[in-house]
Amino acid sequence: MPSLLDPKSAQAYADFEYKDTYDIVQEVDGPPAQVCLDWIDKIFIASNKIVVDGVGRGKVGLKRYLAAVDAYETILAVGLPDAADAGADQVPSILFEMNPFGVIPWTAFLSLVKFEPVDGGKRTTVRWGLKSLPVKNADGSYADDLQIRVNTEAMLKGQMEAFAALYKKN
């Protein structure tokens, strides 16, 4: 069974206090380590404004500005193998947070993206998990962030479908 290269990130994600969670799953025709590195460049960085450069291949510490919601996201940890063509028993991952939240009514947000090997590492199942904790109203109930989550999930699914299409062979 494949093992996560950064189990501490998985534990941090599991321990994270949240009210809402959703997962985006996408099959990609490429090896996990390469898909992970490409995801950082084509999804996380893409056309976003980078306000802090990251360190190393995984760009740990990279901070991007999301102008549409006036928020910032930072890569906290990346589990990568030593080589881009790592074996089928290793699962690269990326852990990132959003803070501050801009116009989004959240007090906490954490995301873990895992790149699971399929077909002996020739293909990848990308599992993008997101957890959020909305602000509380004056009466102690949570703010309604359903529309934001629905819109975000639809946007991210579209991004992942377009990302996967980059790997399709003609």
Side-chain angles (χ1 to χ4, degrees), residues 25-46:
V25 179
Q26 180 69 53
E27 297 293 323
V28 178
D29 291 329
Q34 188 59 55
V35 171
C36 178
L37 291 170
D38 290 346
W39 188 94
I40 292 169
D41 288 335
K42 293 177 175 44
I43 299 287
F44 197 84
I45 294 174

Side-chain angles (χ1 to χ4, degrees), residues 12-120:
Y13 186 74
D15 293 345
F16 185 75
E17 179 185 351
Y18 67 96
K19 178 182 175 291
D20 301 306
T21 184
Y22 48 99
D23 296 292
I24 297 159
V25 179
Q26 180 69 53
E27 297 293 323
V28 178
D29 291 329
Q34 188 59 55
V35 171
C36 178
L37 291 170
D38 290 346
W39 188 94
I40 292 169
D41 288 335
K42 293 177 175 44
I43 299 287
F44 197 84
I45 294 174
S47 62
N48 294 294
K49 180 179 179 185
I50 303 306
V51 294
V52 176
D53 288 327
V55 177
R57 286 187 318 147
K59 299 181 173 61
V60 174
L62 185 138
K63 185 179 221 177
R64 71 179 181 169
Y65 175 66
L66 304 172
V69 292
D70 191 31
Y72 294 85
E73 290 182 328
T74 304
I75 295 176
L76 302 176
V78 177
L80 278 171
D82 292 333
D85 59 348
D89 60 340
Q90 298 177 316
V91 178
S93 64
I94 302 168
L95 182 72
F96 67 92
E97 70 176 355
M98 179 186 289
N99 193 355
F101 304 98
V103 299
I104 300 175
W106 292 338
T107 60
F109 171 89
L110 193 66
S111 183
L112 179 66
V113 188
K114 297 185 289 187
F115 302 85
E116 300 172 349
V118 179
D119 295 335

